[in-house]
Amino acid sequence: MSATDAAETDAQERLRRGQADHPASPVMRFGPDRPLPLDSGAAIAPWQIAYQTYGRLNADRSNAILVCHALTGDQHVASDNPVTGKPGWWTMMIGPGRPIDTDRWFVICANVLGGCMGTTGPASTGPDGRIYGLDLPVLTIGDMVRAQAMLVDALGIGRLFAVVGGSMGGMQVLQWAAAYPDRVFAAVCMASGARHSSQNIAFHEVGRQAVMADPDWCGGRYLDAGTSPKKGLAVARMAAHITYMSGQSLHAKFGRNLQDRERLTFGFDADFQIESYLRHQGMTFVDRFDANSYLYVTRAMDYFDLAAARDGALSKVFQGSRTRFCIVSFTSDWLFPTSESRAVVHALNAAGASVSFVEIESDRGHDSFLLDIPEQFRIVRGFLTGAARAAGLAFAGRD
Amino acid sequence: MSATDAAETDAQERLRRGQADHPASPVMRFGPDRPLPLDSGAAIAPWQIAYQTYGRLNADRSNAILVCHALTGDQHVASDNPVTGKPGWWTMMIGPGRPIDTDRWFVICANVLGGCMGTTGPASTGPDGRIYGLDLPVLTIGDMVRAQAMLVDALGIGRLFAVVGGSMGGMQVLQWAAAYPDRVFAAVCMASGARHSSQNIAFHEVGRQAVMADPDWCGGRYLDAGTSPKKGLAVARMAAHITYMSGQSLHAKFGRNLQDRERLTFGFDADFQIESYLRHQGMTFVDRFDANSYLYVTRAMDYFDLAAARDGALSKVFQGSRTRFCIVSFTSDWLFPTSESRAVVHALNAAGASVSFVEIESDRGHDSFLLDIPEQFRIVRGFLTGAARAAGLAFAGRD
């Protein structure tokens, strides 16, 4: 890395660290009198949640769509990210004229609890003036959703027209529908499931161990120590990134192609493009994400098991639900394979809920939901249009 | 870990480190006058290869079977491992009355070049009296096989009746058949392929980065420094171990079961059995394996691409081969999926070679070839019996 690159990297990291308490987003702050109760039995107070909105809330507050982000996403879903300067992570899905059309819908996206972009997380300053680190209680998907519900309340919105998300965002969608069935008219859950599988827990555990093995992690106190467990977090990201792609897409994109060389060098440098690509993924990630947040948010995913509280019967979770569900999976997604979506669909059917399910043919793996795959845009647009008609929304006749 | 456990661990590590130069195995030593030429253009001299044999070589030296081990295996294939004290890694396959029946066959298994159990590798002492570390040239599967061929020569064996192996062992089998077609009568290649895929290179790169990120790795000089990159190597092993199992088998074995507790602890300890299991896999591995060997042997696998020297035409590699091939894959193996075996079979068919191919139904993933799956034993026994008849071996009539 050149001196210029290193300086840019440092500048970006400083910028990102500043987001934890003072994000470049609207923030809803809840004082000591409005604690956030957690599934662990603990509570956080004061606390805050950072969010972005797009479009306009209509007069009867009936056009709000909450978008839930995935593990390393954030609230900057459809506008430039203030840390990386890159476009929002779902601009193909959300914006004027897009499937989630901001000329019609009022879109809200909040940084998750435990994140590092302005919602209370391990990088935030706690009530004693110290950075939380591992003193923050361990969090769940249920806690994230409870925090979002308090934000939605504070915004004066009783019922969300829809909750939409992929991967961990899809977990939040299902949690919303389970915890607040009367506040969710429609739910779109993509590339996700109602629980985290053994294999997925395993990959997360590898990532956490990689972070905690880095001596610069300092038992979670690296922000106080002025260090950063970059090497460990980069390894964690590299391992995770493989799981976001399919074997086919790696083969198609990289195969065994060499990186800027004509032949093997017989060394441990990145001879292959796939190695160079993964190293780049690891290195850029550490500048935009907090290592402890990675621990907390992966843990929340691992803990997710919607049926556990109902003796493993997922259908009981949705019994009597009037929410309209749209479940989407992708053929080559091996992190959340179609079987996980199908289990949700079976439970919804058993519960008598309204559900449409599509498995989309894609060779691009788990990350398909973030990519330019036209079929998913048609599906989300069509589902929302149909739901809008069913809800009798004013603009629905125009489609 | 208790003080007793730690002392046992230290003792085992010392025992293992001693194997590098002075293994508890027969060793063939090649002096400065008999260098091992390498694919990189370098050569190693002096060098040595440690091996085990089982059964007896017959009078006309026609009953020798070379068994090739996988990434972290060693020569102790059918007898107790002197470091761990555990039984050999393929005792279900090899022994008196077993599919590779040592009452008939003379079985040879050598530690691979680059390994740490007595064949020259990065933990060995080089000609200058220093431990090689990263000064050892980077090695290939071709180099490993060339070393084995020199051992087989030194044992006075012209032609091997068979070469047998799984995973990286299967790569060596194919390399043997390609490099020494007249010296291999029969070849059994299980759970393997003719090249390392992009996804597999990716997982190996994660493992290497985890090792090299550990400050105790000391740029590869940890043996001189008196340190050991245990945390990094454990993370590497954890990630790799996930790839050796299938999602189904992880689900069946662990699911979301908790480890010695009734409920979630809301912490970062190993709440789930799968976490505890993986941590154990990581911790026990570092006592029995050398971190630099892990770098070298994974690199050799990444470099393997049998067709590369023939403009990508695998069939040309085997053109005119008279070797009889048996190719075996397992349905749930996602590290070396059946498609990789099928590519080998197609090439062999195109080359007009004799090949039998079986895809075995198993939900236990890549490691199936090491497990008690009776069908594979029947297949190997049957294939060897048929080949023995074709070769006119004296005992063949007895089956």
Side-chain angles (χ1 to χ4, degrees):
Chain A
M1 191 182 284
S2 73
T4 319
D5 287 348
E8 271 178 27
T9 285
D10 288 349
Q12 184 176 312
E13 196 187 340
R14 273 197 305 278
L15 189 60
R16 192 260 298 160
R17 286 188 178 188
Q19 300 291 309
D21 289 327
H22 303 289
S25 290
V27 182
M28 196 67 74
R29 292 193 164 85
F30 297 84
D33 56 322
R34 297 171 73 193
L36 177 67
L38 302 176
D39 285 343
S40 63
I44 312 179
W47 67 282
Q48 67 182 42
I49 183 164
Y51 63 99
Q52 287 287 347
T53 67
Y54 306 89
R56 285 191 190 172
L57 188 62
N58 61 11
D60 58 358
R61 298 166 184 265
S62 61
N63 71 330
I65 293 182
L66 178 72
V67 172
C68 301
H69 69 74
L71 173 53
T72 71
D74 54 41
Q75 68 270 35
H76 304 285
V77 57
S79 47
D80 289 358
N81 188 296
V83 173
T84 64
K86 291 185 179 163
W89 54 269
W90 225 7
T91 52
M92 281 182 287
M93 185 66 90
I94 299 168
R98 298 291 187 187
I100 302 180
D101 188 344
T102 50
D103 290 337
R104 295 180 169 184
W105 305 110
F106 176 64
V107 172
I108 310 162
C109 185
N111 186 215
V112 293
L113 194 71
C116 53
M117 288 293 281
T119 298
T120 299
S124 306
T125 304
D128 61 356
R130 293 181 76 212
I131 292 169
Y132 270 115
L134 294 201
D135 292 337
L136 189 74
V138 162
L139 306 166
T140 67
I141 300 291
D143 296 332
M144 292 176 182
V145 165
R146 198 175 301 112
Q148 290 161 0
M150 286 176 75
L151 167 66
V152 170
D153 280 338
L155 292 173
I157 298 166
R159 190 180 72 166
L160 293 163
F161 176 75
V163 186
V164 180
S167 193
M168 188 183 84
M171 290 177 164
Q172 293 164 64
V173 169
L174 297 178
Q175 177 69 29
W176 259 101
Y180 307 101
D182 298 332
R183 298 186 68 178
V184 183
F185 185 75
V188 180
C189 171
M190 309 176 75
S192 191
R195 53 149 208 197
H196 215 220
S197 74
S198 196
Q199 189 179 60
N200 290 1
I201 295 171
F203 277 115
H204 274 177
E205 173 65 2
V206 168
R208 286 189 296 264
Q209 290 295 320
V211 169
M212 296 195 279
D214 189 331
D216 285 337
W217 180 62
C218 300
R221 280 273 152 227
Y222 52 90
L223 291 173
D224 299 331
T227 59
S228 180
K230 290 190 176 192
K231 287 185 176 177
L233 185 59
V235 168
R237 177 62 169 184
M238 289 171 69
H241 197 84
I242 302 172
T243 70
Y244 302 152
M245 299 181 73
S246 69
Q248 304 105 285
S249 61
L250 285 170
H251 180 67
K253 195 166 180 177
F254 305 110
R256 295 181 48 83
N257 298 336
L258 302 180
Q259 176 71 27
D260 301 334
R261 57 201 70 189
E262 303 250 313
R263 55 185 65 84
L264 298 173
T265 63
F266 293 94
F268 294 106
D269 281 347
D271 267 358
F272 296 102
Q273 285 177 5
I274 176 64
E275 295 176 298
S276 175
Y277 170 77
L278 272 188
R279 289 184 190 187
H280 176 77
Q281 292 296 329
M283 281 192 298
T284 54
F285 181 63
V286 299
D287 296 328
R288 73 170 183 84
F289 211 81
D290 176 68
N292 283 338
S293 271
Y294 197 78
L295 304 183
Y296 276 83
V297 181
T298 55
R299 201 52 165 162
M301 289 182 77
D302 292 352
Y303 273 19
F304 189 61
D305 183 2
L306 207 46
R310 304 295 184 93
D311 304 324
L314 191 55
S315 62
K316 285 189 196 166
V317 174
F318 298 112
Q319 204 65 51
S321 174
R322 281 172 302 171
T323 302
R324 305 162 74 92
F325 291 86
C326 175
I327 310 291
V328 176
S329 72
F330 298 89
T331 48
S332 61
D333 182 353
W334 56 278
L335 198 62
F336 287 89
T338 292
S339 55
E340 297 291 336
S341 282
R342 225 180 273 281
V344 174
V345 172
H346 289 165
L348 289 169
N349 283 334
S354 161
V355 53
S356 64
F357 166 55
V358 184
E359 181 186 33
I360 296 177
E361 185 79 30
S362 162
D363 67 356
R364 300 174 76 180
H366 181 63
D367 268 354
S368 291
F369 77 98
L370 296 169
L371 302 175
D372 187 9
I373 294 174
E375 191 177 349
Q376 68 183 320
F377 302 134
R378 280 196 300 274
I379 287 164
V380 171
R381 187 189 293 272
F383 175 76
L384 291 179
T385 300
R389 277 203 204 95
L393 284 194
F395 55 75
R398 278 188 276 145
D399 267 317
Chain B
M1 192 184 284
S2 74
T4 319
D5 287 347
E8 272 180 27
T9 284
D10 288 348
Q12 184 176 313
E13 197 187 339
R14 273 196 306 278
L15 189 60
R16 192 259 298 161
R17 287 188 177 188
Q19 301 290 308
D21 289 326
H22 304 289
S25 292
V27 182
M28 196 66 75
R29 292 194 165 82
F30 296 84
D33 56 322
R34 297 171 74 193
L36 177 66
L38 302 176
D39 285 341
S40 63
I44 312 179
W47 67 282
Q48 68 181 40
I49 184 165
Y51 63 99
Q52 288 287 348
T53 67
Y54 307 89
R56 285 192 190 172
L57 188 61
N58 62 11
D60 57 359
R61 299 167 183 265
S62 62
N63 70 332
I65 293 182
L66 178 71
V67 173
C68 302
H69 69 74
L71 173 54
T72 70
D74 55 40
Q75 67 270 37
H76 304 285
V77 57
S79 48
D80 289 356
N81 187 296
V83 174
T84 64
K86 291 184 180 164
W89 55 269
W90 223 7
T91 52
M92 281 181 288
M93 185 66 89
I94 298 168
R98 298 292 186 186
I100 301 178
D101 188 344
T102 51
D103 290 337
R104 298 182 167 182
W105 304 109
F106 176 63
V107 172
I108 310 161
C109 186
N111 186 215
V112 293
L113 193 69
C116 53
M117 288 293 282
T119 297
T120 299
S124 304
T125 304
D128 61 357
R130 293 181 76 211
I131 292 168
Y132 270 116
L134 295 202
D135 293 336
L136 189 74
V138 162
L139 307 165
T140 67
I141 299 293
D143 297 332
M144 293 176 182
V145 164
R146 198 175 301 114
Q148 289 161 1
M150 287 176 74
L151 167 66
V152 170
D153 280 339
L155 293 174
I157 297 166
R159 190 179 72 165
L160 293 163
F161 176 76
V163 186
V164 181
S167 193
M168 189 182 83
M171 290 178 165
Q172 294 163 65
V173 170
L174 297 178
Q175 176 70 29
W176 259 101
Y180 307 101
D182 298 331
R183 300 187 67 178
V184 183
F185 185 76
V188 180
C189 172
M190 309 176 74
S192 192
R195 52 149 208 197
H196 215 220
S197 74
S198 194
Q199 189 179 61
N200 290 2
I201 295 172
F203 276 116
H204 275 176
E205 172 66 2
V206 168
R208 287 189 295 264
Q209 291 294 321
V211 169
M212 297 194 278
D214 189 329
D216 285 338
W217 180 61
C218 301
R221 281 274 151 225
Y222 52 90
L223 290 172
D224 300 330
T227 59
S228 181
K230 290 190 175 190
K231 287 184 175 177
L233 185 59
V235 168
R237 177 63 168 183
M238 289 171 70
H241 197 85
I242 302 172
T243 71
Y244 302 152
M245 300 181 71
S246 68
Q248 303 103 288
S249 60
L250 285 170
H251 180 68
K253 195 164 179 178
F254 305 109
R256 296 182 46 86
N257 297 337
L258 301 180
Q259 176 71 27
D260 301 335
R261 57 201 68 187
E262 304 248 316
R263 56 184 64 84
L264 299 172
T265 64
F266 292 93
F268 294 105
D269 281 348
D271 267 357
F272 297 102
Q273 285 177 6
I274 176 63
E275 295 176 298
S276 175
Y277 171 78
L278 273 188
R279 289 184 190 188
H280 177 77
Q281 292 296 328
M283 282 192 298
T284 54
F285 181 63
V286 299
D287 295 328
R288 73 169 181 86
F289 211 81
D290 176 66
N292 283 339
S293 271
Y294 197 78
L295 304 184
Y296 276 84
V297 182
T298 56
R299 201 53 166 162
M301 289 182 76
D302 292 351
Y303 273 21
F304 189 61
D305 183 2
L306 207 46
R310 303 294 184 98
D311 304 324
L314 192 56
S315 61
K316 287 189 194 166
V317 174
F318 299 112
Q319 204 64 50
S321 174
R322 282 172 303 172
T323 302
R324 304 162 72 93
F325 291 86
C326 175
I327 310 291
V328 176
S329 72
F330 298 89
T331 49
S332 60
D333 181 353
W334 57 277
L335 197 62
F336 287 89
T338 291
S339 55
E340 297 290 335
S341 283
R342 223 179 273 280
V344 174
V345 172
H346 288 165
L348 290 168
N349 284 334
S354 161
V355 52
S356 65
F357 166 55
V358 185
E359 181 185 32
I360 297 177
E361 185 78 32
S362 162
D363 66 358
R364 299 174 78 180
H366 181 63
D367 267 356
S368 291
F369 77 97
L370 297 168
L371 303 175
D372 187 9
I373 294 174
E375 191 177 350
Q376 68 183 321
F377 303 134
R378 281 197 300 273
I379 287 164
V380 171
R381 186 189 295 270
F383 175 77
L384 292 179
T385 301
R389 277 204 203 96
L393 286 192
F395 55 74
R398 279 188 275 146
D399 268 316

